[in-house]
Every structure is written in structure tokens, then in C-alpha cells.
Amino acid sequence: MKPGNHQSAGAWAKNFHLAARSVIDMTLQPYDLGPTQWYVLWHLVHDGSLAQRDLLQPLQIEKATLSGVVSALVRKELIEQTTDPADQRQKRLSITQAGQALWAKLPDPIDLILKTAFAGVCEHDLATVTQVLSLGTARLNNLLNKDKKS
């Protein structure tokens, strides 16, 4: 085996992530959307109007990054950003009619990835992979949080 070419679960998780991101990019590129823009639209379609800050944790991005993504979607007239009536310092996001129309014709890149990557893989094996990666992720996040508290 060549140095740096290891077959660990972590290496394969990274390879899967990179391949999946490329499929998402390829799927959304004809619609002039990036992956994070797609996820913002997904949340607005499925969750309804949201406080902008409520997207930070599920998207796992920084406030400045989200602001740029939101600005791009507002410029494209796919979402609307308004002042939250309950707290004038906060912004609320909602999908526009143009955003809903685009969403209706967008292919679902996540569905494409799942159907392509896991076609023919039995449910038991998928559950095992999910369990192992979930546990590993939780342990690494706990390690990071422990180091932040130190």
C-alpha cells in the first residue's frame, strides 16, 4: 500500500463526502445554486418561515457565511428577508413564489446520491454504516467540545 493511501473508515468517509459534494455541485450548477443555498431553500420549504439565526446550527456554518448565502438568494429573488416583528434586531427568511417555482423543478441531489451510492445495499448494512459514523462523529464532537472547555 502506498503511503497516504489508506483504506480506513475515516478515509472512505472523507472520499464519500467529497464525491457527494461534487454530485450536489453538478446537480445544482445548471440552476445557479450552491449546496448551502439549496439547504437554505430546503429548510424554508420544509419548515416554513424561519429566523435567520435558526439556520446556523443545522447548516453548521458561520454567521458571516450564512449572511452571504442569504444575500445571494435574496438577490436571485428566491427568498425574502424581513425584520422579525418580535425582535427588530433579528431577520426572518421566507421562500418567495419564484423560490417555490424553482424548488418544484429542482432535482433532489440528496435523493440522487442515496439512490446511486446505495443501490442494492441491504438495509442492515446501511443501518450499520449509519450507526458507526454517527457514533464516531459524536465521539469526535465530544473531544472537540472537551478541548474547548479546557
Side-chain angles (χ1 to χ4, degrees):
M1 186 181 311
K2 295 178 184 176
N5 185 15
H6 53 90
Q7 300 293 312
S8 71
W12 281 111
K14 179 182 177 184
N15 289 338
F16 181 85
H17 169 75
L18 294 173
R21 283 295 295 237
S22 293
V23 169
I24 292 170
D25 289 339
M26 175 195 72
T27 304
L28 297 176
Q29 191 268 335
Y31 301 91
D32 191 31
L33 285 178
T36 307
Q37 292 175 345
W38 184 86
Y39 277 110
V40 168
L41 293 175
W42 186 95
H43 280 283
L44 294 175
V45 165
H46 291 90
D47 302 333
S49 178
L50 293 169
Q52 185 168 320
R53 69 176 178 267
D54 291 345
L55 289 172
L56 292 170
Q57 194 279 328
L59 298 178
Q60 297 182 347
I61 58 176
E62 298 294 324
K63 194 174 185 178
T65 302
L66 180 58
S67 292
V69 169
V70 165
S71 293
L73 290 170
V74 168
R75 259 192 324 276
K76 295 175 187 182
E77 299 181 350
L78 299 175
I79 68 170
E80 184 178 47
Q81 182 186 51
T82 58
T83 302
D84 190 328
D87 183 349
Q88 298 291 311
R89 299 168 297 168
Q90 301 300 323
K91 301 292 183 191
R92 287 201 69 75
L93 305 176
S94 55
I95 193 162
T96 63
Q97 285 185 335
Q100 290 171 339
L102 175 64
W103 185 261
K105 67 181 182 180
L106 276 177
D108 182 341
I110 305 305
D111 187 55
L112 175 61
I113 289 166
L114 294 176
K115 285 180 177 174
T116 304
F118 301 118
V121 178
C122 75
E123 290 297 318
H124 174 73
D125 288 346
L126 286 175
T128 300
V129 169
T130 301
Q131 180 183 13
V132 169
L133 289 175
S134 176
L135 178 62
T137 301
R139 288 177 174 172
L140 291 174
N141 284 330
N142 287 339
L143 176 66
L144 290 170
N145 290 331
K146 182 177 134 185
D147 284 351
K148 287 179 184 176
K149 293 176 185 175
S150 299

